[in-house]
Amino acid sequence: MSCAEVLVDDVVVEPCSGLKGELRVPGDKSISHRAAFLGALSDEGIRVDNFSSGEDCASTLRCLEALGFSVVRSGGRVSVSRGSGPSDPAEPLYAGNSGTTARLLCGLMSAVPGLFGVITGDGSLRGRPMGRVVEPLRSLGARIDGRDGGRLLPLSIRGARLSGGRLELRVPSAQVKTALILAGLMGGDVLTVAEPHLSRDHTEVMLEHLGVPVRRNGLSVTVYPVDRVPGGAWEVPGDMSSAAFWLVAGAVVPRSDLVVRGVCLNRGRTGLLDALRAMGCHVEVHPRSPQGGEAVGDVRVRHSNLRGIKVQPHQVPSMVDELPVLAVAASLAQGQTEIRGAGELRHKECDRIGAMAQGLSAMGVRIREVEDGWVIQGNGGAPLSPARVDSYGDHRIAMALAVGALAASGPVEIRGASCVSISYPEFFDHLKGLVS
Ligand code: S3P
């Protein structure tokens, strides 16, 4: 049997004796969403190559098209411009599984006076918190209603002329910050957004790259109303959150040596590299030319004997999506790893703290779930146990468990693994390429 055999929606991953070679991962999902949303505010338009191949970014493009914006897609090249948008969508906008799509739409639609639309999503997204974006938008004058008083999708939005001011966010969320920045750019007044910890800043970087004024001061960002966003063109760098699976796989599978080329090295996204280094992993970074204002590089990783670490709450935002796969690295390290301050993981595509605790326990890992993270007793690199595990329909859980499976003593069956297409449709094909 090949290394990953697809059984309808389940995948059996076989242990492997070393991952070798080099690859590119899909374009960064966060940057792809933002290029599309800012393109919609531009008459000239934004054109990017290597747009994310995942379904989440396709959801963004579909919703923007339904709002009358112009979207032209040809392979990995995507151009988005104002076109005839924004106009009332004839049907509810379907954001699928994508929290970024839903939350950024809230910011954009709220700030278009008179626009009416409804946003909904799949079962997972309809269970995720929307109050965090609805409340600050309402405080600027947004007219949003929805299920559970606007805390859950579906939401209905009647656009209005929004005010400015200063908003203090309770949760560090780049999606919420970006929704508010979009509202601020389209609103009637200067808007400052302050976060408790710095979340990823791709929106700010992209605006600076396009020459739109943005004032950053520590944990706050200020934007000013603009008539339009200038156009631009660049290549989206590879997604660190997808590269993460190979970086951990390379670190934990004996005899591995691999390179992920052209990865986005934004400082708000490289926490996993720091964590792997602190665990004793050989990680090399070779810089390449920046793209769209973002640092880019090739990352090489080799199998290493890892040791346990403590991940502190302030480190979480820089690796929030990589924590499930970091838990796999911790399972195979020497000694204890404690990951705390990550309660946000319970509000992602599934409860990621619970899902990883279940999956890794089934694979013989001594992992204790706490409210805001895990305490993991590493096994010093011994093989994990064969098992049947569940992705809970969450792409990052499916891929993290697949990485654990590569370091197991027998096959691991992952239920519901086709969800990898949300961010990384090529994941199992790339795996085959690295083991052959
Ligand atoms: C994202 C921000 C993060 C991350 C998500 C994508 C973004 O969530 O987990 O996958 O593109 O802005 P937060 O909004 O909680 O920061």
Side-chain angles (χ1 to χ4, degrees), residues 5-366:
E5 184 183 331
V6 180
L7 305 168
V8 201
D9 192 24
D10 298 346
V11 169
V12 177
V13 179
E14 295 282 340
C16 102
S17 56
L19 293 151
K20 294 230 182 310
E22 54 176 68
L23 80 164
R24 285 179 181 275
V25 293
D28 188 86
K29 192 157 80 76
S30 294
I31 294 176
S32 298
H33 283 297
R34 286 155 172 77
F37 271 91
L38 290 181
L41 307 187
S42 166
D43 293 333
E44 250 171 275
I46 291 178
R47 189 192 79 208
V48 290
D49 287 306
N50 200 34
F51 189 85
S52 165
S53 51
E55 282 173 23
D56 270 6
C57 291
S59 293
T60 280
L61 296 182
R62 230 189 11 255
C63 291
L64 292 175
E65 234 175 346
L67 283 163
F69 299 111
S70 160
V71 175
V72 180
R73 183 165 200 169
S74 152
R77 173 168 290 191
V78 167
S79 306
V80 179
S81 61
R82 199 189 299 267
S84 56
S87 54
D88 291 359
E91 300 207 16
L93 297 169
Y94 184 67
N97 194 241
S98 174
T100 311
T101 306
R103 294 185 178 122
L104 269 53
L105 280 173
C106 288
L108 181 140
M109 291 169 67
S110 294
V112 180
L115 183 77
F116 176 77
V118 172
I119 307 170
T120 190
D122 70 7
S124 153
L125 189 56
R126 279 184 275 116
R128 292 178 65 187
M130 292 295 147
R132 57 181 60 191
V133 67
V134 168
E135 279 166 28
L137 282 167
R138 278 180 179 158
S139 76
L140 301 176
R143 293 160 62 192
I144 308 178
D145 205 348
R147 193 159 58 101
D148 194 20
R151 282 183 280 273
L152 294 171
L153 296 179
L155 296 174
S156 72
I157 299 185
R158 170 70 73 186
R161 187 166 174 79
L162 302 186
S163 61
R166 181 182 170 88
L167 292 171
E168 308 271 349
L169 302 184
R170 275 178 286 124
V171 189
S173 162
Q175 295 174 357
V176 174
K177 177 176 61 174
T178 299
L180 293 166
I181 290 176
L182 290 171
L185 291 173
M186 301 169 72
D189 220 333
V190 182
L191 179 67
T192 298
V193 184
E195 301 185 276
H197 294 294
L198 205 56
S199 66
R200 62 191 65 186
D201 66 353
H202 302 299
T203 311
E204 297 89 312
V205 169
M206 201 175 287
L207 288 170
E208 283 162 352
H209 178 72
L210 291 166
V212 176
V214 178
R215 191 154 51 80
R216 300 214 237 176
N217 184 5
L219 297 176
S220 70
V221 52
T222 301
V223 290
Y224 308 83
V226 293
D227 291 334
R228 52 171 211 98
V229 167
W234 63 88
E235 183 177 317
V236 180
D239 197 326
M240 177 60 83
S241 301
S242 298
F245 301 107
W246 307 125
L247 301 178
V248 170
V252 299
V253 175
R255 290 170 291 281
S256 295
D257 184 351
L258 53 87
V259 179
V260 189
R261 297 221 177 270
V263 183
C264 180
L265 296 176
N266 179 303
R267 292 273 302 280
R269 298 287 299 281
T270 50
L272 178 77
L273 300 185
D274 300 334
L276 285 175
R277 284 195 180 107
M279 295 176 91
C281 181
H282 300 281
V283 181
E284 286 171 32
V285 172
H286 301 279
R288 296 166 72 97
S289 349
Q291 287 292 333
E294 297 279 6
V296 183
D298 299 337
V299 186
R300 177 181 181 198
V301 79
R302 280 174 287 159
H303 171 250
S304 309
N305 295 318
L306 303 181
R307 54 180 176 268
I309 54 166
K310 245 187 172 160
V311 173
Q312 307 288 353
H314 73 270
Q315 297 174 281
V316 164
S318 68
M319 54 176 139
V320 63
D321 293 338
E322 292 70 76
L323 291 174
V325 76
L326 182 65
V328 174
S331 304
L332 291 147
Q334 184 77 52
Q336 176 173 297
T337 292
E338 203 177 330
I339 300 175
R340 304 302 298 264
E344 268 299 299
L345 293 188
R346 296 203 185 270
H347 307 294
K348 296 293 179 187
E349 286 81 330
C350 77
D351 168 1
R352 288 181 173 165
I353 295 179
M356 285 309 291
Q358 283 219 3
L360 288 173
S361 299
M363 294 165 79
V365 176
R366 287 164 60 206

